[in-house]
Amino acid sequence: MAKQYQVDSRVRFVNRMMARMIRWHIAPARTYLMTVLGRKTGKPYSTPVTLVERDGNRWLVSPYGEVNWVKNARAAGEVSLLRNGKTETLKIEELSPVESAPILKEYITAVGIVRPYFDAQPDSPLQDFEAEAPNHPVFLLEER
C-alpha cells in the first residue's frame, strides 16, 4: 500500500529550501517553482515541481495525488513556471490514465524520492501505472 502524503514541518522546510535553490539557479535539472492561483482566494501559491521532459514536450506530475495545487491548477487551467530567472505561463491539459501511464513510469524512475507514494515501481508494467493514474494526475504543458 502506497504511503499517504502529509504536509508537515519537514515538507515545508524542504519546499522552502528547494524554492530558494530554484531562485538562486542551483536547483536540480527539470525542477521549477510552479505558481498557480488559488481557486477560492485568487492568491498565488507556489511549490517546487519536477517535470518530465521528452521530445520537446513537458508534463507536470502530482506524485502526491489530489493535493491543493492540482485542484487550483484544474480551476485556473494554467500554471506559471519559474526557472533560471525566467517565468512562463502555460496551459494545462489533464491526461487520461492510458496517456499518463508512460509518463508516471518515467517520473518515478527519475524521481526516486516519490516512490513510496506509488504502488507501482520502475520495473512494473505500464498496466500498473494505468491503474494508478487516477491517484496521480498528469498534465501536459502547452504554450498559451
Side-chain angles (χ1 to χ4, degrees):
M1 183 81 182
K3 184 176 174 181
Q4 183 70 31
Y5 179 73
Q6 291 184 326
V7 177
D8 57 20
S9 59
R10 185 183 62 82
V11 169
R12 286 185 189 96
F13 175 78
V14 169
N15 282 349
R16 279 194 307 272
M17 294 308 298
M18 189 60 68
R20 287 183 181 129
M21 290 173 65
I22 293 165
R23 288 186 180 105
W24 295 339
H25 310 273
I26 57 172
R30 299 176 286 114
T31 303
Y32 294 76
L33 188 62
M34 179 192 65
T35 301
V36 63
L37 296 179
R39 63 195 179 281
K40 296 176 185 173
T41 65
K43 285 179 37 181
Y45 293 95
S46 297
T47 190
V49 294
T50 301
L51 303 182
V52 173
E53 299 178 333
R54 180 174 19 98
D55 301 327
N57 291 311
R58 297 185 293 175
W59 295 270
L60 176 60
V61 174
S62 178
Y64 309 118
E66 295 276 329
V67 292
N68 279 329
W69 75 254
V70 171
K71 296 171 187 174
N72 291 336
R74 283 180 181 141
E78 65 182 24
V79 298
S80 293
L81 298 175
L82 169 70
R83 182 164 176 88
N84 295 329
K86 179 185 171 200
T87 300
E88 55 186 328
T89 301
L90 302 161
K91 293 187 309 181
I92 59 167
E93 178 185 326
E94 191 163 359
L95 302 183
S96 71
V98 171
E99 295 167 315
S100 295
I103 304 305
L104 289 171
K105 184 174 178 103
E106 187 171 337
Y107 185 83
I108 72 160
T109 299
V111 187
I113 196 168
V114 302
R115 290 181 192 156
Y117 299 95
F118 287 76
D119 289 324
Q121 293 302 302
D123 59 349
S124 298
L126 278 180
Q127 298 90 315
D128 290 358
F129 288 95
E130 187 176 333
E132 195 146 358
N135 299 321
H136 302 282
V138 176
F139 300 92
L140 174 64
L141 298 169
E142 303 176 299
E143 298 294 325
R144 287 191 326 165

